[in-house]
Amino acid sequence: MSQDANGSTTAAALASDGTRNGDALANLLQEHRKFAPTPEFTANAVVGAAEYKEAAADRPAFWAKQARELLTWSQDFTQALDWSEPPFAKWFVGGEVNAAYNALDRHVENGLGDRVAIHFEGEPGDTRSYTYAQLTDEVKRCANAFESLGVAKGDRVAVYLPMIPEAVITLLACARIGAVHSVVFGGFSADALRSRIDDAEAKLVVTADGTYRRGKPSPLKAAVDQALTAPGHTVENVVVVKRNGQDVDWHEGRDQRWEDTVGAASGEHTAVGHDSEHPLFILYTSGTTGKPKGILHTTGGYLTQTAYTHKAVFDLHPETDVFWCTADVGWVTGHSYVAYAPLVNGATQVMYEGTPDSPHQGRWWEIVEKYKVSILYTAPTAIRTFMKWGKDIPAKYDLSSIRVLGSVGEPINPEAWMWYREVIGSNAGKNGEKKAHPAPIVDTWWQTETGAHMIAPLPGVTATKPGSAQVPLPGIAIDVVDEAGESVPDGHGGYLVVREPWPAMLRGIWGDPERFKETYWSRFEGMYFAGDGAKKDEDGDIWLLGRVDDVMNISGHRLSTTEIESALVSHPWVAEAAVVGASDETTGQAVVAFVILRESAPSGQDSGDDVVTTLRNHVGKEIGPIAKPKHILVVPELPKTRSGKIMRRLLKDVAEGREAGDATTLSDPTIMAQIAESLKK
Ligand code: 6R9
């Protein structure tokens, strides 16, 4: 097997990446449990087995049918797919569609105005519910307000908001007028926000005074002010939602209160159709280099696939279900399965602002009980945290309303999967009753780039296996290939690829078409390379094995090793840095940094803790608190190949407490011993 740029072999990457190290992989392959759907579930399921056949017969025709069934087009399309200039796809060519009209107005026109669209639960316990009629009214006002601030079709709007209804309102208002939103997660720093504002040349920023984190105020507007301190930016206005009431600096002329602008705007606004390929949003995600990529999504295909998968994978019955996706709107999951699909499908959903342990560790289960959540969609890292807190906590609540459970963001280990099933999916009331038939679990594999689910069981069709996302969805062509791009036989591992274009696929990287081709389409001829390792089991089911590149997955959030290394070396004390993602019981992976200090760094007996704290905070400032390394190890040297590439594989061994592997290709083979020695001190 060939060596990649970082000196690790594919085999090593597949076996040692993330939670799926050698032992875990061996365990996985001994995982033979299967849970078939009950006949009742299958009989009532919205999507049946026939869908796979139908989709395989004519993929574009299948998606065209979904597009027409799930969306209301103001102008019908003339061609399902134009793939004449790969890898640049056009879906539903000639069609015109308005995302906000599809998420809102049409439901009101269809007599569903009184159905609750969003039950909002604030961290301090304040609540608000919006019916479809009320949400439509708010979005129309917001659209008028943005237009009055000079935001026009095609302009970019940066969004830096907590999980409050105004986030969804802002996104839909942008979509309504054809402005392109770019959400920056509230946990990113002022510097990260500024670089994203600059890259997208945003005209407007929407933020809040602050939010709450574990009962304490947590500022947001201050970071926007800081981001805009240096001149040379494109921002004309900042709209500020009042959320936690904390004091904020005010820039007259630039800053606008949400209550004044949106509150005072007219509630009359007509949605016009936008071209199916009109840009809907940009969302920045970490790649293998230091510079985050602005992933571009467009309208018709994105809406079609998010709506279809939301319906099919969660078996959505919008009249009766209550859906809760716990993802923040700062990530793609919060775009596709909070802001868009649930509303396009006319569902009722729950939105929660805070952390799972505020004010107590039963908060989520209290919310499930209160709103009778029937479909819960969350991440393995949360499930593992709840496992740590113990099953007695969820047992205190009535979770009998739950009928489908979803997982996303990283591979889910079979233990967490079984706990999810037995403790959450089997709960039939707070007196310890158990359901005869636990809720099915759907493990959904997808990416910011894919826009919507790609691999997942269908709960009424698939016999599920703990730890596997299993089957490509109808209309999606997934494969696992070897180094040469040949499909591997069942029972073998390799690289995950997508063989055919799909409706919600990214349309490019903002401002960088070359990087788009290079990153995703150059590794294997004519195929999309996802960056994940995968294995087909004896049944042909797919098991995801984690990233094969330098992207880490911390609590389901993507961070690049290079990005954090750049942040570290930007500090005057640091000469060199290497970052690895080491397996972590709770967060899947944790950031571990190895640094070589400069002479100028404080030295001496007691300086170690100060250096580490200073550098952790520096990373927090440069990128955001989520990127702060869990451990920073000061070392005399880094292991490098003769061509100067850092061998992260060896550092990962150290970080995970293993004997370091084969170091014979190092320029100086004694370095690993030196590192081991320095860490003993
Ligand atoms: C939706 C989202 C994408 C990366 C992806 C993969 C990992 C996501 C997964 C999964 C195994 C799953 N990933 N879902 N791995 N099983 N069900 O998370 O998007 O933030 O772009 O991350 O996350 O490694 O390549 P994004």
Side-chain angles (χ1 to χ4, degrees), residues 485-508:
E486 298 293 333
S487 187
V488 303
D490 290 350
H492 288 76
Y495 301 100
L496 190 76
V497 296
V498 190
R499 284 191 175 276
E500 301 287 340
W502 64 100
M505 67 196 283
L506 75 165
R507 299 303 198 264

PDB file of all heavy atoms in Angstrom, residues 485-508:
ATOM      1  N   GLY A 485      -9.259   2.295  -7.276  1.00  0.00           N
ATOM      2  CA  GLY A 485     -10.606   2.713  -7.642  1.00  0.00           C
ATOM      3  C   GLY A 485     -11.509   1.560  -8.051  1.00  0.00           C
ATOM      4  O   GLY A 485     -12.592   1.764  -8.578  1.00  0.00           O
ATOM      5  N   GLU A 486     -11.057   0.317  -7.788  1.00  0.00           N
ATOM      6  CA  GLU A 486     -11.879  -0.855  -8.105  1.00  0.00           C
ATOM      7  C   GLU A 486     -12.776  -1.166  -6.916  1.00  0.00           C
ATOM      8  O   GLU A 486     -12.335  -1.146  -5.772  1.00  0.00           O
ATOM      9  CB  GLU A 486     -10.988  -2.090  -8.350  1.00  0.00           C
ATOM     10  CG  GLU A 486     -10.030  -1.978  -9.515  1.00  0.00           C
ATOM     11  CD  GLU A 486     -10.741  -1.929 -10.862  1.00  0.00           C
ATOM     12  OE1 GLU A 486     -11.860  -2.483 -10.955  1.00  0.00           O
ATOM     13  OE2 GLU A 486     -10.183  -1.317 -11.801  1.00  0.00           O
ATOM     14  N   SER A 487     -14.010  -1.503  -7.218  1.00  0.00           N
ATOM     15  CA  SER A 487     -14.968  -1.873  -6.191  1.00  0.00           C
ATOM     16  C   SER A 487     -14.434  -3.067  -5.397  1.00  0.00           C
ATOM     17  O   SER A 487     -13.972  -4.033  -5.990  1.00  0.00           O
ATOM     18  CB  SER A 487     -16.260  -2.255  -6.914  1.00  0.00           C
ATOM     19  OG  SER A 487     -17.280  -2.467  -5.993  1.00  0.00           O
ATOM     20  N   VAL A 488     -14.456  -3.005  -4.057  1.00  0.00           N
ATOM     21  CA  VAL A 488     -13.953  -4.144  -3.282  1.00  0.00           C
ATOM     22  C   VAL A 488     -15.077  -5.164  -3.099  1.00  0.00           C
ATOM     23  O   VAL A 488     -16.241  -4.791  -3.048  1.00  0.00           O
ATOM     24  CB  VAL A 488     -13.382  -3.727  -1.892  1.00  0.00           C
ATOM     25  CG1 VAL A 488     -12.273  -2.710  -2.026  1.00  0.00           C
ATOM     26  CG2 VAL A 488     -14.476  -3.226  -0.957  1.00  0.00           C
ATOM     27  N   PRO A 489     -14.710  -6.460  -3.005  1.00  0.00           N
ATOM     28  CA  PRO A 489     -15.755  -7.470  -2.765  1.00  0.00           C
ATOM     29  C   PRO A 489     -16.286  -7.383  -1.332  1.00  0.00           C
ATOM     30  O   PRO A 489     -15.629  -6.789  -0.471  1.00  0.00           O
ATOM     31  CB  PRO A 489     -15.024  -8.801  -2.994  1.00  0.00           C
ATOM     32  CG  PRO A 489     -13.568  -8.501  -2.980  1.00  0.00           C
ATOM     33  CD  PRO A 489     -13.367  -7.041  -3.136  1.00  0.00           C
ATOM     34  N   ASP A 490     -17.433  -7.992  -1.090  1.00  0.00           N
ATOM     35  CA  ASP A 490     -17.974  -8.036   0.273  1.00  0.00           C
ATOM     36  C   ASP A 490     -16.940  -8.640   1.204  1.00  0.00           C
ATOM     37  O   ASP A 490     -16.182  -9.527   0.816  1.00  0.00           O
ATOM     38  CB  ASP A 490     -19.264  -8.871   0.295  1.00  0.00           C
ATOM     39  CG  ASP A 490     -20.396  -8.153  -0.432  1.00  0.00           C
ATOM     40  OD1 ASP A 490     -20.223  -6.960  -0.758  1.00  0.00           O
ATOM     41  OD2 ASP A 490     -21.443  -8.787  -0.676  1.00  0.00           O
ATOM     42  N   GLY A 491     -16.903  -8.149   2.424  1.00  0.00           N
ATOM     43  CA  GLY A 491     -15.923  -8.647   3.383  1.00  0.00           C
ATOM     44  C   GLY A 491     -14.616  -7.865   3.351  1.00  0.00           C
ATOM     45  O   GLY A 491     -13.696  -8.176   4.081  1.00  0.00           O
ATOM     46  N   HIS A 492     -14.541  -6.804   2.510  1.00  0.00           N
ATOM     47  CA  HIS A 492     -13.289  -6.040   2.391  1.00  0.00           C
ATOM     48  C   HIS A 492     -13.501  -4.550   2.641  1.00  0.00           C
ATOM     49  O   HIS A 492     -14.606  -4.038   2.519  1.00  0.00           O
ATOM     50  CB  HIS A 492     -12.679  -6.249   1.010  1.00  0.00           C
ATOM     51  CG  HIS A 492     -12.105  -7.621   0.855  1.00  0.00           C
ATOM     52  ND1 HIS A 492     -12.901  -8.721   0.657  1.00  0.00           N
ATOM     53  CD2 HIS A 492     -10.819  -8.069   0.913  1.00  0.00           C
ATOM     54  CE1 HIS A 492     -12.131  -9.808   0.590  1.00  0.00           C
ATOM     55  NE2 HIS A 492     -10.869  -9.435   0.743  1.00  0.00           N
ATOM     56  N   GLY A 493     -12.374  -3.889   2.946  1.00  0.00           N
ATOM     57  CA  GLY A 493     -12.421  -2.454   3.249  1.00  0.00           C
ATOM     58  C   GLY A 493     -11.739  -1.628   2.190  1.00  0.00           C
ATOM     59  O   GLY A 493     -11.019  -2.147   1.335  1.00  0.00           O
ATOM     60  N   GLY A 494     -11.937  -0.331   2.250  1.00  0.00           N
ATOM     61  CA  GLY A 494     -11.305   0.592   1.306  1.00  0.00           C
ATOM     62  C   GLY A 494     -11.815   2.001   1.531  1.00  0.00           C
ATOM     63  O   GLY A 494     -12.047   2.399   2.677  1.00  0.00           O
ATOM     64  N   TYR A 495     -11.991   2.734   0.438  1.00  0.00           N
ATOM     65  CA  TYR A 495     -12.404   4.132   0.525  1.00  0.00           C
ATOM     66  C   TYR A 495     -13.860   4.287   0.108  1.00  0.00           C
ATOM     67  O   TYR A 495     -14.295   3.689  -0.884  1.00  0.00           O
ATOM     68  CB  TYR A 495     -11.561   4.981  -0.428  1.00  0.00           C
ATOM     69  CG  TYR A 495     -10.090   4.927  -0.160  1.00  0.00           C
ATOM     70  CD1 TYR A 495      -9.248   4.110  -0.923  1.00  0.00           C
ATOM     71  CD2 TYR A 495      -9.530   5.695   0.849  1.00  0.00           C
ATOM     72  CE1 TYR A 495      -7.888   4.064  -0.684  1.00  0.00           C
ATOM     73  CE2 TYR A 495      -8.167   5.658   1.103  1.00  0.00           C
ATOM     74  CZ  TYR A 495      -7.351   4.842   0.332  1.00  0.00           C
ATOM     75  OH  TYR A 495      -6.012   4.809   0.580  1.00  0.00           O
ATOM     76  N   LEU A 496     -14.578   5.123   0.824  1.00  0.00           N
ATOM     77  CA  LEU A 496     -15.979   5.362   0.484  1.00  0.00           C
ATOM     78  C   LEU A 496     -16.072   6.373  -0.667  1.00  0.00           C
ATOM     79  O   LEU A 496     -15.456   7.437  -0.596  1.00  0.00           O
ATOM     80  CB  LEU A 496     -16.711   5.914   1.705  1.00  0.00           C
ATOM     81  CG  LEU A 496     -18.222   5.968   1.531  1.00  0.00           C
ATOM     82  CD1 LEU A 496     -18.806   4.571   1.666  1.00  0.00           C
ATOM     83  CD2 LEU A 496     -18.846   6.893   2.545  1.00  0.00           C
ATOM     84  N   VAL A 497     -16.816   6.036  -1.685  1.00  0.00           N
ATOM     85  CA  VAL A 497     -17.012   6.960  -2.815  1.00  0.00           C
ATOM     86  C   VAL A 497     -18.494   7.021  -3.197  1.00  0.00           C
ATOM     87  O   VAL A 497     -19.273   6.141  -2.833  1.00  0.00           O
ATOM     88  CB  VAL A 497     -16.215   6.531  -4.081  1.00  0.00           C
ATOM     89  CG1 VAL A 497     -14.710   6.567  -3.832  1.00  0.00           C
ATOM     90  CG2 VAL A 497     -16.646   5.144  -4.570  1.00  0.00           C
ATOM     91  N   VAL A 498     -18.835   8.077  -3.933  1.00  0.00           N
ATOM     92  CA  VAL A 498     -20.171   8.164  -4.519  1.00  0.00           C
ATOM     93  C   VAL A 498     -19.965   8.106  -6.030  1.00  0.00           C
ATOM     94  O   VAL A 498     -19.151   8.852  -6.579  1.00  0.00           O
ATOM     95  CB  VAL A 498     -20.896   9.473  -4.121  1.00  0.00           C
ATOM     96  CG1 VAL A 498     -22.360   9.409  -4.542  1.00  0.00           C
ATOM     97  CG2 VAL A 498     -20.789   9.733  -2.621  1.00  0.00           C
ATOM     98  N   ARG A 499     -20.683   7.197  -6.671  1.00  0.00           N
ATOM     99  CA  ARG A 499     -20.427   6.954  -8.093  1.00  0.00           C
ATOM    100  C   ARG A 499     -21.258   7.804  -9.044  1.00  0.00           C
ATOM    101  O   ARG A 499     -20.902   7.961 -10.204  1.00  0.00           O
ATOM    102  CB  ARG A 499     -20.668   5.474  -8.421  1.00  0.00           C
ATOM    103  CG  ARG A 499     -19.547   4.556  -7.956  1.00  0.00           C
ATOM    104  CD  ARG A 499     -19.727   3.171  -8.563  1.00  0.00           C
ATOM    105  NE  ARG A 499     -18.620   2.290  -8.249  1.00  0.00           N
ATOM    106  CZ  ARG A 499     -17.478   2.248  -8.940  1.00  0.00           C
ATOM    107  NH1 ARG A 499     -17.303   3.037  -9.989  1.00  0.00           N
ATOM    108  NH2 ARG A 499     -16.516   1.421  -8.581  1.00  0.00           N
ATOM    109  N   GLU A 500     -22.397   8.287  -8.568  1.00  0.00           N
ATOM    110  CA  GLU A 500     -23.266   9.077  -9.453  1.00  0.00           C
ATOM    111  C   GLU A 500     -23.632  10.376  -8.754  1.00  0.00           C
ATOM    112  O   GLU A 500     -23.720  10.415  -7.525  1.00  0.00           O
ATOM    113  CB  GLU A 500     -24.572   8.301  -9.737  1.00  0.00           C
ATOM    114  CG  GLU A 500     -24.391   6.941 -10.386  1.00  0.00           C
ATOM    115  CD  GLU A 500     -23.998   7.037 -11.851  1.00  0.00           C
ATOM    116  OE1 GLU A 500     -24.222   8.108 -12.455  1.00  0.00           O
ATOM    117  OE2 GLU A 500     -23.454   6.042 -12.376  1.00  0.00           O
ATOM    118  N   PRO A 501     -23.890  11.442  -9.519  1.00  0.00           N
ATOM    119  CA  PRO A 501     -24.306  12.695  -8.874  1.00  0.00           C
ATOM    120  C   PRO A 501     -25.625  12.523  -8.116  1.00  0.00           C
ATOM    121  O   PRO A 501     -26.434  11.668  -8.477  1.00  0.00           O
ATOM    122  CB  PRO A 501     -24.483  13.653 -10.053  1.00  0.00           C
ATOM    123  CG  PRO A 501     -24.602  12.797 -11.266  1.00  0.00           C
ATOM    124  CD  PRO A 501     -23.853  11.543 -10.979  1.00  0.00           C
ATOM    125  N   TRP A 502     -25.808  13.309  -7.058  1.00  0.00           N
ATOM    126  CA  TRP A 502     -27.022  13.224  -6.243  1.00  0.00           C
ATOM    127  C   TRP A 502     -27.565  14.644  -6.050  1.00  0.00           C
ATOM    128  O   TRP A 502     -26.789  15.614  -6.104  1.00  0.00           O
ATOM    129  CB  TRP A 502     -26.722  12.518  -4.925  1.00  0.00           C
ATOM    130  CG  TRP A 502     -25.749  13.227  -4.016  1.00  0.00           C
ATOM    131  CD1 TRP A 502     -26.056  13.988  -2.929  1.00  0.00           C
ATOM    132  CD2 TRP A 502     -24.308  13.259  -4.111  1.00  0.00           C
ATOM    133  NE1 TRP A 502     -24.911  14.477  -2.333  1.00  0.00           N
ATOM    134  CE2 TRP A 502     -23.825  14.056  -3.043  1.00  0.00           C
ATOM    135  CE3 TRP A 502     -23.378  12.698  -5.003  1.00  0.00           C
ATOM    136  CZ2 TRP A 502     -22.468  14.308  -2.845  1.00  0.00           C
ATOM    137  CZ3 TRP A 502     -22.020  12.966  -4.804  1.00  0.00           C
ATOM    138  CH2 TRP A 502     -21.584  13.750  -3.738  1.00  0.00           C
ATOM    139  N   PRO A 503     -28.879  14.788  -5.823  1.00  0.00           N
ATOM    140  CA  PRO A 503     -29.482  16.121  -5.872  1.00  0.00           C
ATOM    141  C   PRO A 503     -28.900  17.145  -4.895  1.00  0.00           C
ATOM    142  O   PRO A 503     -28.724  18.303  -5.251  1.00  0.00           O
ATOM    143  CB  PRO A 503     -30.964  15.859  -5.557  1.00  0.00           C
ATOM    144  CG  PRO A 503     -31.193  14.430  -5.920  1.00  0.00           C
ATOM    145  CD  PRO A 503     -29.903  13.714  -5.685  1.00  0.00           C
ATOM    146  N   ALA A 504     -28.596  16.709  -3.638  1.00  0.00           N
ATOM    147  CA  ALA A 504     -28.142  17.683  -2.631  1.00  0.00           C
ATOM    148  C   ALA A 504     -26.630  17.841  -2.614  1.00  0.00           C
ATOM    149  O   ALA A 504     -26.073  18.404  -1.677  1.00  0.00           O
ATOM    150  CB  ALA A 504     -28.639  17.264  -1.248  1.00  0.00           C
ATOM    151  N   MET A 505     -25.941  17.341  -3.635  1.00  0.00           N
ATOM    152  CA  MET A 505     -24.483  17.436  -3.635  1.00  0.00           C
ATOM    153  C   MET A 505     -24.020  18.890  -3.641  1.00  0.00           C
ATOM    154  O   MET A 505     -24.701  19.767  -4.163  1.00  0.00           O
ATOM    155  CB  MET A 505     -23.890  16.717  -4.844  1.00  0.00           C
ATOM    156  CG  MET A 505     -24.203  17.356  -6.179  1.00  0.00           C
ATOM    157  SD  MET A 505     -23.869  16.239  -7.562  1.00  0.00           S
ATOM    158  CE  MET A 505     -22.086  16.348  -7.668  1.00  0.00           C
ATOM    159  N   LEU A 506     -22.859  19.130  -3.021  1.00  0.00           N
ATOM    160  CA  LEU A 506     -22.296  20.469  -3.074  1.00  0.00           C
ATOM    161  C   LEU A 506     -22.091  20.867  -4.527  1.00  0.00           C
ATOM    162  O   LEU A 506     -21.794  20.020  -5.374  1.00  0.00           O
ATOM    163  CB  LEU A 506     -20.981  20.550  -2.294  1.00  0.00           C
ATOM    164  CG  LEU A 506     -19.727  19.925  -2.904  1.00  0.00           C
ATOM    165  CD1 LEU A 506     -18.505  20.414  -2.176  1.00  0.00           C
ATOM    166  CD2 LEU A 506     -19.785  18.413  -2.899  1.00  0.00           C
ATOM    167  N   ARG A 507     -22.246  22.138  -4.804  1.00  0.00           N
ATOM    168  CA  ARG A 507     -22.024  22.601  -6.177  1.00  0.00           C
ATOM    169  C   ARG A 507     -20.636  23.197  -6.339  1.00  0.00           C
ATOM    170  O   ARG A 507     -20.257  23.618  -7.423  1.00  0.00           O
ATOM    171  CB  ARG A 507     -23.081  23.624  -6.574  1.00  0.00           C
ATOM    172  CG  ARG A 507     -24.511  23.081  -6.533  1.00  0.00           C
ATOM    173  CD  ARG A 507     -24.680  21.845  -7.435  1.00  0.00           C
ATOM    174  NE  ARG A 507     -26.090  21.592  -7.717  1.00  0.00           N
ATOM    175  CZ  ARG A 507     -26.864  20.736  -7.052  1.00  0.00           C
ATOM    176  NH1 ARG A 507     -26.364  20.012  -6.063  1.00  0.00           N
ATOM    177  NH2 ARG A 507     -28.137  20.585  -7.372  1.00  0.00           N
ATOM    178  N   GLY A 508     -19.889  23.254  -5.237  1.00  0.00           N
ATOM    179  CA  GLY A 508     -18.530  23.751  -5.340  1.00  0.00           C
ATOM    180  C   GLY A 508     -18.057  24.292  -4.015  1.00  0.00           C
ATOM    181  O   GLY A 508     -18.751  24.184  -2.997  1.00  0.00           O
TER     182      GLY A 508
END
